[in-house]
Amino acid sequence: MKIATFNVNSIRSRLPIVLDWLKQNEPDALCLQETRVANDAFPERAFEEAGYRAAFRGDGGRNGVAIITREPLENVSTGIDDGGPRDDDRLIRGTLGDIEIVNTYVPQGQGVDKPAYRYKLEWLSRLVGFFGQHYTVEKPVLWCGDLNVAPTELDVHDPKRIEGHVCFTPEVREAFGRVVDWGFVDVLRKHHPEPGVYTFYDYRGRHVIEQNKGWRIDHILTTEPLAERSVDCFVDLAPRKLEKPSDHTPLVAEFEG
DNA sequence: ATGGCACGCATGGCGTGA
């Protein structure tokens, strides 16, 4: 079972790259974030013609998530259903085989002095309850997506410079850590403990790829029973090097069974 | 020291991303 996550920064702009990537990599599931398209304009047919089906949720120019699968994704639903703001455009989940997949686009936060940052911290806090309500750590559960948190100093190219950024503050890392403590293993780190592994490279820097000036803010985390089945997890930098790339690049995990 | 680029929405720049 191969499962990937990719923030595409507009699925309509990134469709050729995504379709090529699907063809070359043949994942069982590809979780997308920042599709930036309303449901009625999602390019569903293009995925069907590629042999995949799509579950998606979006409301226009911002946010938006999707799960692309070869086999039908079951029990699809969206949003955090705890009575707070549902935020359907940032969370989509479903069952694939014996794996529960939760694909999220965690709010970025804009700035530490902005309401969006409080919302981000609250969102991560709500996720703890969400996982507790719907899942158990004894079953295979996979949480992935653009989680907008670099968990440690190993996960940014210049920790001193990035200190205080909404994706790297102590409190956002703690908030993320509390979700992880619900019962998740960072699958990338299980296979790659070394520094310099990143999933995001800002459009604005020069030579960011060559100089490896990235951030690791996209993640695949699983409960222990699924982590035990993981045989590989890696970042695929190739799509970031193409013409008209996303600023993120895919993260892939492979599991036995 | 601290820019910069891309996107959607909308048509002239703005809000957002990280």
Side-chain angles (χ1 to χ4, degrees):
Chain A
M1 183 75 85
K2 185 192 281 191
I3 300 176
T5 179
F6 186 13
N7 176 323
V8 288
N9 186 20
S10 169
I11 187 57
R12 287 176 292 183
S13 291
R14 226 59 63 207
L15 197 55
I17 286 178
V18 172
L19 291 175
D20 279 356
W21 194 87
L22 277 177
K23 194 171 182 179
Q24 289 180 26
N25 293 274
E26 301 187 323
D28 297 284
L30 174 60
C31 296
L32 304 176
Q33 306 85 37
E34 275 204 278
T35 53
R36 302 182 67 169
V37 65
N39 286 337
D40 59 9
F42 191 94
E44 189 172 16
R45 277 299 300 273
F47 287 106
E48 287 171 358
E49 286 164 9
Y52 282 84
R53 52 199 91 204
F56 47 87
R57 183 66 180 246
D59 191 31
R62 297 192 302 126
N63 309 330
V65 284
I67 304 179
I68 310 299
T69 56
R70 286 208 285 205
E71 300 299 320
L73 186 69
E74 298 177 323
N75 311 316
V76 175
S77 68
T78 62
I80 305 179
D81 51 344
D82 63 357
R86 284 211 36 123
D87 211 350
D88 286 301
D89 304 335
R90 291 184 181 274
L91 187 154
I92 187 167
R93 61 192 176 110
T95 312
L96 186 65
D98 70 338
I99 301 177
E100 301 290 346
I101 298 176
V102 180
N103 172 25
T104 65
Y105 176 44
V106 174
Q108 189 263 3
Q110 297 184 356
V112 291
D113 56 344
K114 300 285 172 55
Y117 180 63
R118 309 315 306 177
Y119 183 65
K120 176 183 192 173
L121 293 171
E122 180 186 286
W123 211 95
L124 287 166
S125 167
R126 291 170 64 196
L127 269 187
V128 181
F130 174 86
F131 283 116
Q133 182 183 345
H134 292 288
Y135 303 104
T136 164
V137 297
E138 287 142 28
K139 292 281 179 63
V141 181
L142 181 147
W143 173 36
C144 73
D146 177 355
L147 308 187
N148 268 321
V149 180
T152 75
E153 296 200 345
L154 284 184
D155 301 312
V156 290
H157 66 275
D158 187 347
K160 285 203 173 59
R161 176 176 166 167
I162 291 163
E163 195 175 276
H165 188 278
V166 289
C167 297
F168 194 57
T169 61
E171 70 182 337
V172 88
R173 288 154 63 183
E174 283 161 21
F176 177 76
R178 283 190 285 274
V179 191
V180 175
D181 287 345
W182 174 77
F184 286 114
V185 174
D186 185 335
V187 178
L188 184 281
R189 281 298 180 220
K190 182 182 166 188
H191 298 278
H192 291 284
E194 73 275 14
V197 181
Y198 306 125
T199 62
F200 166 82
Y201 295 84
D202 201 305
Y203 285 127
R204 293 168 293 186
R206 295 223 191 282
H207 313 301
V208 287
I209 304 287
E210 296 88 325
Q211 298 176 6
N212 202 26
K213 291 183 175 175
W215 309 48
R216 192 174 73 99
I217 53 176
D218 302 86
H219 303 287
I220 295 175
L221 302 112
T222 71
T223 52
E224 190 60 49
L226 188 53
E228 285 169 10
R229 286 160 50 187
S230 87
V231 290
D232 199 7
C233 186
F234 58 92
V235 175
D236 182 1
L237 271 182
R240 183 65 183 82
K241 298 174 178 173
L242 299 172
E243 290 295 313
K244 273 183 71 71
S246 171
D247 41 4
H248 296 248
T249 205
L251 172 66
V252 187
E254 293 181 45
F255 303 92
E256 289 175 336

